[in-house]
Amino acid sequence: MKKIICFSGGHSSALAAIETARKYGTEGMVLLNHDISPHVEHEDIKRFKREVAEYIGLTITYANMPGWETMPPLAVAVANKAFKAFNHPAFCTSRLKTEPFYKWLEENGERGDWVIYGFDAEETSRMMRRSTIMNAMGYQAVFPLADWERTIQATEEVGIARPSTYTTYKHANCIGCLKAGKQHWYCVYCLRPDIWGEAKAAEEEIGYSIIKGVYLKELEPEFKEMRDTLRIIPTDKTSSARFWKQVREAMPEEQLEIPCDCSF
């Protein structure tokens, strides 16, 4: 029986991998990752993946989309002429991760294999969804961080610093995540103007907005004021409600009638 870790490069998936290795050993264990273009996946995330794999004593197994090196999410969206299909995941997720994952399982997996996720106990909806999908395919979804007695809470306990991106972002997703909202894209505007420009161009070419109801070019005056006048620190680690409350509190009184954007 294989123990297939969905090894995203995020902190939680690394902890799930370590817990699995400690509880069951590494025989039959697979660290399955989808490599993403270094244009949007920070080098320190790649460093983190390597160090976790070295600590466990395994090499990383990659299930990659052909041409992934030069196809970051925005390029995938432009190639598909849409950011997402109606009522379906974003094309970047399906092309760069989901389809290579299912292809790898078809070629290498066997019924009864474990597919292991780094979901926390409160992520009940995600766990139920993945369990339903995996069970229907003949696999068992397993959630070490939610269901097992924990032996480790942070990779720093074994001398592995989590990716430096966690100082700004709350997870290890791509910079310029096409599933993210206005707060994340404020971070992109401030910290990665190159990706911001590419995203604006992609919206223009596709004819649809990344954030529902508003184009990035329409947000530029607001974001410029937030950055240059209000001095709002770019972060998506703060909750959306708290972040936009900070923005409102920093505004001059005459601007306070502007509607709240917490829903984005």
Side-chain angles (χ1 to χ4, degrees), residues 32-227:
L32 190 65
N33 179 249
H34 313 292
D35 223 343
I36 305 296
S37 166
H39 184 56
V40 295
E41 184 176 71
H42 197 282
E43 171 56 33
D44 205 47
I45 294 175
K46 297 184 185 297
R47 182 275 308 166
F48 179 72
K49 289 188 288 191
R50 291 192 300 268
E51 290 188 4
V52 171
E54 289 169 4
Y55 171 77
I56 292 172
L58 293 173
T59 58
I60 300 173
T61 298
Y62 292 101
N64 294 337
M65 182 192 83
W68 65 271
E69 299 95 332
T70 58
M71 289 290 283
L74 283 169
V76 172
V78 170
N80 285 276
K81 298 181 172 57
F83 295 110
K84 62 182 291 187
F86 178 72
N87 209 27
H88 284 77
F91 276 118
C92 56
T93 298
S94 61
R95 299 292 189 265
L96 289 167
K97 297 180 179 180
T98 306
E99 291 175 8
F101 173 59
Y102 288 155
K103 184 175 187 294
W104 188 92
L105 283 181
E106 183 180 351
E107 294 174 352
N108 301 279
E110 297 180 9
R111 293 185 65 86
D113 284 347
W114 285 7
V115 179
I116 298 173
Y117 296 90
F119 297 159
D120 296 317
E122 64 270 17
E123 297 182 277
T124 54
S125 295
R126 297 182 74 189
M127 288 190 284
M128 289 177 62
R129 185 166 60 251
R130 297 315 303 172
S131 290
T132 299
I133 293 170
M134 289 295 103
N135 289 346
M137 296 175 64
Y139 300 97
Q140 182 178 346
V142 178
F143 311 102
L145 305 189
D147 297 334
W148 299 354
E149 184 176 350
R150 298 284 296 275
T151 68
I152 184 171
Q153 301 296 324
T155 57
E156 284 80 5
E157 295 173 27
V158 293
I160 302 173
R162 69 192 72 191
S164 60
T165 53
Y166 277 91
T167 60
T168 298
Y169 303 99
K170 57 188 174 185
H171 41 57
N173 289 355
C174 301
I175 307 302
C177 177
L178 301 184
K179 297 180 289 185
K182 187 175 174 182
Q183 183 177 349
H184 176 84
W185 281 94
Y186 174 66
C187 298
V188 177
Y189 174 81
C190 295
L191 304 175
R192 287 298 301 270
D194 56 331
I195 294 178
W196 177 268
E198 292 163 10
K200 285 199 303 177
E203 286 187 330
E204 185 172 351
E205 183 167 347
I206 291 171
Y208 201 78
S209 62
I210 295 169
I211 301 172
K212 185 178 181 180
V214 63
Y215 283 85
L216 297 181
K217 65 182 179 182
E218 297 170 337
L219 290 173
E220 284 187 316
E222 178 185 353
F223 282 1
K224 186 176 189 302
E225 181 182 17
M226 287 169 59
R227 183 192 65 188

